[in-house]
């Protein structure tokens, strides 16, 4: 790790002004410290944002819940009300890493984490995300990579919470300069879809403050994943679903897939397809087919397509269960 | 006297002597030792998979703040043959100082063409890993009987292809040493499996007399075959300490652990097996190759140096043809790894045998009992099958309905080694306390406790009267801990020393049997100086030749490809059981390591950059607590055979049994280990074929078309002109 | 408050010298000063960090880049917590930070400013092992022992929160701790034993000569 200076920000406002263009925000540090140890980033200043007021609360509001960016994943996963109202969110938090990791990791950090691609993380590899000319996963070892890609980079979004929050139609509130802006989950990641160098849409001086999750009467949510190991392993594919099953029919259901694209993969067409249709495995398979329609298998990641389809069916079955 | 029949400690459950120290953080491992003024050492490694190093400039690093020593790994011009090869080393006053200085080392080198995939390295126009030497080393085919005729006469013949990955040891404690010089005397605290081997290797590498080197290893955090010598890191650590005139601690990082300190060779096996209508094996043929790393060397037959392994494994068809090869690639060299060769051999042999059983319509247990030449193992199959409920659980392959299918499989193991050559010393004090000294080491196998148990049993004393000293080359010589030999080597030596103690005490005190209740009275006659007696390993108290069979039950999710092992039953013979508690732990550990080999573990190399992509525990996946099946162990007690080591045989058949269970569940064989979801789904025919990307590596070995000269190195590498420190 | 750029200049000037009150209103200045002092960047050289370790107040001088694990092992000589991966993947470095298990390798020492840290050395008092440690020894919940300090820390936290965990809860609690020797079954058994539950042993020694099938 290169030497750096360290400061604890007392407000969101000062955090974004302190960080400048050579600093990085430090919350749980689970992602950032690894990047620094591997020499992938060499910030001159770390701005600890854990003291920023109002970022540690989980608050039930009228129609919308607010989850602060510095809420740890352990707290989110164990929060009794969250487990009841947004089980998919709690499940997604619980599926992150290990207990110690969840004790440190934060909601904001999970959403803003950088690529886990093993070429990106390899300190000596010069890939497109690090300013090189090519994506080394293309034509390389791409079994953990995207089946839906728009840029040269094949690194997928692996943030569990992004997938769950996308299905829950949540918003992300971000400090941008002196103002706060509210983004959809899609907006939070859209830059990663269009810019191979981007991990998400946020600038280095933009700070996630909280997420806002709408409550929909009668809706359920679920998050499922498949990994190689039973615990403490990245999802090969994950799927979140939220919505209602009324009178045996899907209502207002939203789907999102993780680890298949640079963004949490959502298609309005798939959600619309489900609307009012009987809550059956056949309907679910139809939605899965739409979601994966444009998926393209690389040399080693074709398996993700059937796995994703299976998970969509399982998530939708769990919604109705 | 022989081993006693009625025992107080032998074969009972004795907690580890060092347990309290280990669970309270008091146990000092190599990295915890801190002699006054100890410096932090680190290695600067090649980031090229192959290059000619012309010069290394340490000038800037040497004068960096806090740096006390800067040395070259090798003098003059030299070749580096893999990503991670040693180039230089630094020692300084803090980790941070050394990290900063490593970035100042400058290397001038000519990158060379390289090859890291076994199949690529076989091609005729592949770059040669060692100049002037073919990548592939093949022994001549070894034949017994008339193979073609035997196959032709067989009632059933099957051909099976399997591959096994490079498995990396990844002990929790990385490789490393703390070294201190006192004039020409070297003291090392080493994480090692052999304090004497380590001592001699230090002496040779550093040109120091053996009587001036002392190696200590009070506690060490696992080795599994990878810590028999000081390694390059130990020698560099000692040289740094000499250059700095201060003690140096050099512990490798996890990243380095994934590159440079050994692994289990890979294998690609094509097997063919024939049997008569009764299922009696008639003919066997194997062609295999794998990589042992950058130096393929000679065909060793044992599997630890080259990539060959025992074949045919366990079974003895009359007609056999065996051809094995080792192929060099630009990657870290293999070394011994828990039961070298055997798990590799087992995966192939047990697979083709099960496939043959299916073809014959025979039960897998039945075909094994019919063909296994070792009577102990045959009986273990019978005992295990009953305990496992094999008859109730076994179905014809792939006949289960539903998305999640269960399956069962079994496999056997052999392990040959015994253990000799150890000495023990016992000092008896006038107050009746006893110190037992053996220059062995405890890898986590419980050898310290073995010494204690044997001495307490033979002297008729309570455990609290005994202290045990091990892990020091100043103690009576003992061999390295490899080949499951430690318990079988150490126990007889302690036994012998105890006999000598009893004889001496009898002479000294006039008490006919000075053991047990007479001990105190006998010791009172010892006088001012303690009684010191030696013992030696001798015949008749230990042996080799453990068998062992395992049964696996798995659940396979055919929609996601996920494999969950539900149960593993181990039936293991180990002769006389010395300590049930540590014996069970050893077997649990072997099984879990085998489970990792079956389902999760593999080193992944990148063809274009030559980098190891997963030198981390994030992507090199070790089994965790959640992955544990129910493990049941039936230990076959055969005290008349004496002490037999158990550490290796228990890891041999696990992967084969699991792979067979998966094949039984889904009705097709998943040929390549580890059995990850992508491979299971591929075997089920559910994976759409991948489109080869348009972005191709120049000089790639795609269909063997590309030429060597076109293989560039530099464009893929982050910082040209430097090596890398892996902190 | 002004926009980012002017604020940064303000803070920079505060970091090195005083700021004139004339530039801002008096209230803003006192608030700004308090905040800016709190927000003064430290390092990159060694800075003073104070926290409580095993009940004792400790102050040390470390660079901000020094991890909590490096500080505990190197500066304080508490070598119980182990460095095995240095990347939050194995759990050997686990310590309790305000009673919560964390990876000491993946937080900075400076982040622990003011916190209460418990390391493995802080559990056994006067050489007397805790019930869990005792059970780990008796049930052989260890082999090489390198993962043991981390395992004991995470399980100590579990038993404080949940004195009678199920086997599944124990397994989940140690999901972030790797053991290459494969001691998991005995670690689980030890934890159940420590919580007053009957540990399961799956080992049976049978005599080949007496067995009906042999």
């Amino acid at each position: 790790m290169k030497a750096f200076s360290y400061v604890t920000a007392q407000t969101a406002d000062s955090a974004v002004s302190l960080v400048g263009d050579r600093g990085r925000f430090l919350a749980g540090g689970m992602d950032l410290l690894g990047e620094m140890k591997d020499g992938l980033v060499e910030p001159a200043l770390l701005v600890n944002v854990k003291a920023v007021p109002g970022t540690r609360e989980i608050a039930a509001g009228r129609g919308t819940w607010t989850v602060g960016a510095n809420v740890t994943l352990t707290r989110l996963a164990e929060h009794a009300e969250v487990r009841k109202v947004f089980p998919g969110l709690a499940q997604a938090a619980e599926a992150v890493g290990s207990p110690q990791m969840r004790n440190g990791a934060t909601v904001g950090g999970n959403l803003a984490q950088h690529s886990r691609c093993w070429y990106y993380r390899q300190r000596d590899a010069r890939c497109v995300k690090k300013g090189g000319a090519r994506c080394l996963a293309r034509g390389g070892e791409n079994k953990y990579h995207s089946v839906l890609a728009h840029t040269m980079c094949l690194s997928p979004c692996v943030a569990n919470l992004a997938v769950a929050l996308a299905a829950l139609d949540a918003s992300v509130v971000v400090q941008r300069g002196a103002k706060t802006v509210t983004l959809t989950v899609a907006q939070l990641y859209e830059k990663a879809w269009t810019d191979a160098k981007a991990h998400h849409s946020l600038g280095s001086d933009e700070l996630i403050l909280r997420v806002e999750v709408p409550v929909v009467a009668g809706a359920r949510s679920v998050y499922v994943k498949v990994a190689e190991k039973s615990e403490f392993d990245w999802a090969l594919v994950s799927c979140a679903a939220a919505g209602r099953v009324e009178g045996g029919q899907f209502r207002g259901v939203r789907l999102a897939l993780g680890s298949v694209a640079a963004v949490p993969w959502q298609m309005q067409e798939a959600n619309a397809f489900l609307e009012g249709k009987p809550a059956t495995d056949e309907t679910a398979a139809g939605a899965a087919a739409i979601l994966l329609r444009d998926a393209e298998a690389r040399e080693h990641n074709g398996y993700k397509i059937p796995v994703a389809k299976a998970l969509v069916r399982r998530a939708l079955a769990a919604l109705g269960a | 006297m022989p081993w006693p029949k009625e025992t107080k400690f032998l074969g009972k459950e004795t907690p580890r002597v060092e347990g309290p120290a280990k669970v309270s953080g008091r146990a000092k491992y190599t990295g915890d030792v801190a002699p006054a003024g100890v410096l932090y050492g680190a290695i600067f490694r090649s980031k090229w998979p192959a290059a000619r190093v012309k010069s290394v400039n340490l000038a800037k690093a040497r004068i960096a703040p806090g740096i006390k020593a800067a040395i070259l790994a090798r003098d003059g011009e030299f070749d580096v043959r893999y990503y991670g090869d040693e180039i230089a080393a630094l020692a300084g006053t803090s980790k941070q100082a050394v990290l900063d200085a490593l970035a100042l080392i400058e290397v001038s080198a000519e990158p060379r063409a390289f090859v890291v995939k076994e199949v690529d390295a076989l091609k005729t126009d592949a770059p040669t890993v060692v100049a002037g030497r073919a990548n592939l080393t093949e022994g001549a085919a070894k034949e017994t009987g008339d193979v073609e005729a035997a196959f032709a006469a067989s009632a059933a013949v099957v051909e099976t292809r399997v591959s096994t990955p490079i498995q990396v040891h990844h002990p929790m404690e990385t490789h490393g040493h703390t070294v201190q010089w006192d004039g020409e005397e070297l003291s090392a605290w080493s994480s090692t499996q052999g304090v004497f081997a380590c001592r001699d290797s230090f002496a040779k590498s550093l040109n120091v007399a053996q009587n001036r080197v002392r190696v200590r290893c009070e506690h060490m955090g696992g080795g599994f075959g990878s810590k028999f010598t000081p390694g390059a890191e130990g020698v560099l650590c000692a040289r740094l300490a000499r250059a700095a005139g201060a003690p140096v601690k050099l512990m490798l990082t996890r990243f380095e652990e994934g590159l440079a300190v050994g692994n289990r060779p890979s294998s690609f096996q094509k097997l063919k097996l024939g049997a008569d209508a009764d299922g009696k094996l008639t003919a066997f043929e194997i062609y295999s190759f794998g990589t042992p790393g950058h130096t393929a060397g000679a065909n060793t037959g044992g599997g630890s140096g080259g990539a060959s392994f025992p074949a045919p494994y366990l079974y003895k068809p009359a007609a056999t043809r065996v051809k094995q090869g080792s192929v060099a690639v630009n990657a870290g060299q293999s070394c011994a790894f828990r039961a070298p060769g055997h798990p590799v051999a087992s995966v192939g042999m047990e697979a083709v045998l099960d496939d043959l059983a299916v073809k014959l319509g025979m039960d897998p247990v039945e075909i094994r009992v019919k063909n296994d030449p070792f009577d102990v193992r045959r009986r273990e199959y019978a005992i295990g099958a009953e305990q496992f409920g094999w008859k109730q659980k076994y179905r014809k392959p792939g006949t289960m309905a539903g998305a999640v299918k269960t399956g069962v499989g079994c496999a056997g193991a052999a392990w040959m080694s015994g253990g000799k050559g150890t000495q023990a010393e016992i000092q008896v004090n006038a107050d009746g306390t006893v110190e037992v000294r053996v220059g062995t080491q405890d890898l986590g196998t419980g050898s310290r406790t073995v010494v204690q148990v044997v001495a307490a049993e033979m002297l008729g004393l309570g455990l609290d009267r005994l202290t045990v000293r091990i892990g020091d080359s100043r103690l009576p010589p003992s061999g390295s801990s490899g080949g499951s030999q430690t318990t079988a080597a150490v126990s007889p030596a302690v036994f012998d020393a105890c006999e000598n103690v009893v004889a001496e005490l009898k002479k000294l005190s006039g008490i006919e049997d000075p053991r047990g209740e007479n001990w105190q009275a006998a010791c009172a006659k010892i006088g001012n100086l303690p009684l010191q007696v030696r013992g030696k390993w001798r015949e008749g108290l230990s042996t080799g030749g453990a068998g062992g069979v395992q049964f696996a039950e798995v659940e396979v999710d055919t929609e996601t490809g996920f494999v969950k092992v539900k149960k593993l039953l181990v039936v293991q013979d180990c002769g006389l059981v010395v300590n049930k508690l540590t014996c069970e732990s050893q077997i649990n550990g072997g099984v879990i390591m085998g489970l990792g080999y079956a389902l999760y573990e593999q080193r992944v190399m990148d063809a274009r950059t030559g980098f190891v992509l997963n030198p981390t525990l994030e992507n090199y996946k070790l089994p965790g607590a959640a992955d544990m099946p129910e493990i049941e162990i039936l230990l076959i007690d055969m005290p008349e055979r004496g002490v037999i080591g158990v550490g290796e045989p228990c890891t041999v058949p696990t992967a084969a049994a699991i792979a067979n269970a998966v094949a039984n569940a889904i009705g097709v064989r998943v040929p390549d280990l580890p059995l990850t979801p992508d491979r299971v789904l591929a075997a089920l025919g559910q994976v759409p074929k991948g489109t080869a990307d348009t972005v191709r590596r120049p000089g790639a070995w795609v269909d063997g078309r590309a030429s060597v000269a076109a293989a560039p190195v530099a464009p893929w590498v982050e910082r040209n002109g430097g090596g890398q420190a892996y902190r | 408050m002004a926009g980012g750029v002017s604020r940064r200049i303000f803070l920079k000037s505060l970091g090195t010298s005083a700021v004139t009150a004339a530039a801002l209103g008096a209230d803003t200045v006192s608030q700004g000063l308090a905040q800016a002092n709190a927000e003064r960047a430290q390092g990159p050289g060694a800075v003073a960090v104070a926290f409580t370790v095993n009940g004792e107040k400790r102050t040390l001088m470390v660079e901000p880049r020094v991890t909590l694990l490096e500080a505990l092992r190197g500066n304080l000589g508490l070598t119980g917590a182990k460095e095995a991966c240095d990347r939050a993947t194995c759990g050997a470095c686990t310590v309790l930070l305000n009673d919560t298990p964390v990876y000491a390798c993946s937080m900075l020492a400076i982040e622990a400013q003011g916190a209460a840290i418990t390391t493995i050395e802080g559990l056994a008092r006067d050489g007397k092992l805790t019930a869990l440690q005792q059970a780990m020894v008796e049930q052989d919940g260890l082999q090489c022992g390198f993962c043991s300090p981390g395992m004991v820390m995470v399980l100590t936290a579990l038993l404080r929160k949940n004195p009678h965990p199920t086997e599944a809860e124990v397994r989940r609690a140690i999901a972030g701790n790797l053991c290459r020797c494969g001691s998991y079954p005995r670690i689980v058994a030890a934890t159940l034993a420590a919580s007053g539950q009957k540990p399961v042993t799956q080992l049976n020694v049978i005599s080949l000569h007496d067995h009906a099938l042999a």
Side-chain angles (χ1 to χ4, degrees), chain C residues 11-122:
Chain C
L11 288 164
K12 234 177 228 164
S13 60
L14 261 180
T16 49
S17 60
V19 66
T20 55
L24 301 151
D27 284 355
T28 324
V29 167
S30 62
Q31 280 170 16
L33 264 176
Q35 188 179 315
N37 281 330
E39 293 186 345
R40 194 168 54 208
Q42 296 177 280
V47 300
V49 174
F51 43 62
T52 306
V53 185
N54 301 329
E56 253 180 81
K57 274 220 135 110
R58 307 295 294 260
T59 303
L60 48 155
M61 294 297 293
V62 288
E63 292 180 35
R65 62 174 157 167
V66 170
T67 65
L68 178 59
L69 180 65
E70 288 160 3
L72 290 171
R73 289 179 55 83
N75 298 61
L76 298 177
L78 294 168
T79 55
K82 300 291 183 246
E83 180 181 315
C85 77
D86 201 29
R87 292 293 187 283
T89 57
C90 80
C93 66
T94 302
V95 299
L96 305 186
L97 184 85
N98 302 328
D99 296 326
T100 302
V102 296
Y103 292 137
C105 77
S106 291
M107 75 179 289
L108 302 170
I110 197 171
E111 288 183 83
Q113 188 82 259
I117 296 155
T118 311
T119 70
I120 187 76
E121 289 91 344

Side-chain angles (χ1 to χ4, degrees), chain C residues 118-194:
Chain C
T118 311
T119 70
I120 187 76
E121 289 91 344
L123 295 186
R125 284 301 159 107
D126 306 320
K128 192 171 159 29
L129 300 181
T130 64
L132 173 69
Q133 288 173 314
Q134 193 60 40
M136 288 282 278
V137 174
E138 285 167 9
Q139 298 291 327
D140 209 38
L142 72 157
Q143 290 180 59
C144 81
F146 209 73
C147 73
S148 304
M151 290 282 184
V152 169
M153 293 317 289
V154 81
L155 289 167
T156 296
L158 171 74
L159 293 178
R160 282 178 186 169
K161 214 164 117 179
N162 178 2
H164 301 286
T166 63
E167 187 188 327
E169 286 168 337
V170 176
R171 283 182 181 227
R172 233 181 120 59
I174 56 171
N177 294 64
L178 296 175
C179 168
R180 186 50 153 163
C181 299
S183 283
Y184 304 117
R186 301 314 304 161
I187 292 167
V188 173
T191 313
L192 295 179

Side-chain angles (χ1 to χ4, degrees), chain A residues 1 3-10 13-14 17 26 33 37-38 50 78 94 98-103 231-232, chain C residues 7-8 39 41-44 64-65 86-89 94 100-101 103 105-106 110-111 161 172 175-177:
Chain A
M1 234 187 309
F4 56 84
S5 300
Y6 176 89
V7 65
T8 302
Q10 302 297 322
D13 197 27
S14 61
S17 54
L26 173 69
L33 294 186
K37 286 174 181 179
D38 288 328
K50 278 179 285 195
E78 291 180 355
E94 201 167 15
S98 70
Q100 292 96 314
M101 195 169 259
R102 295 191 291 274
N103 288 341
E231 291 262 5
F232 202 7
Chain C
R7 179 169 184 90
R8 212 171 301 143
E39 293 186 345
Q42 296 177 280
R65 62 174 157 167
D86 201 29
R87 292 293 187 283
T89 57
T94 302
T100 302
Y103 292 137
C105 77
S106 291
I110 197 171
E111 288 183 83
K161 214 164 117 179
R172 233 181 120 59
N177 294 64

Side-chain angles (χ1 to χ4, degrees), chain A residues 116 119 122-124 126 134 136 138 141 144 227-231 233-234 297-298 303 306 313-314, chain B residues 83 117 557 559 562 600 606 608 618 621-622 626-627 678 690-691 693 716-718 724-725 727:
Chain A
R116 297 309 304 190
Y119 292 99
Q122 218 296 348
R123 58 174 57 208
D124 292 319
R126 183 175 151 85
R134 303 211 186 292
L136 296 179
R138 289 185 182 264
E141 298 298 332
Y144 298 131
E228 288 176 334
K229 285 171 58 178
S230 301
E231 291 262 5
D233 197 5
W234 296 97
R298 309 279 156 192
Y303 73 98
R313 287 169 42 228
R314 288 177 191 191
Chain B
Y83 175 76
K117 302 270 188 189
D557 186 331
E559 290 180 347
F562 186 79
Y600 311 123
D606 181 53
R608 232 171 352 198
E618 173 183 339
K621 300 183 180 182
L622 299 181
D627 305 309
D678 54 328
T691 52
D693 235 287
W716 311 105
V717 176
E718 190 64 71
Q724 189 55 270
R727 292 291 111 186

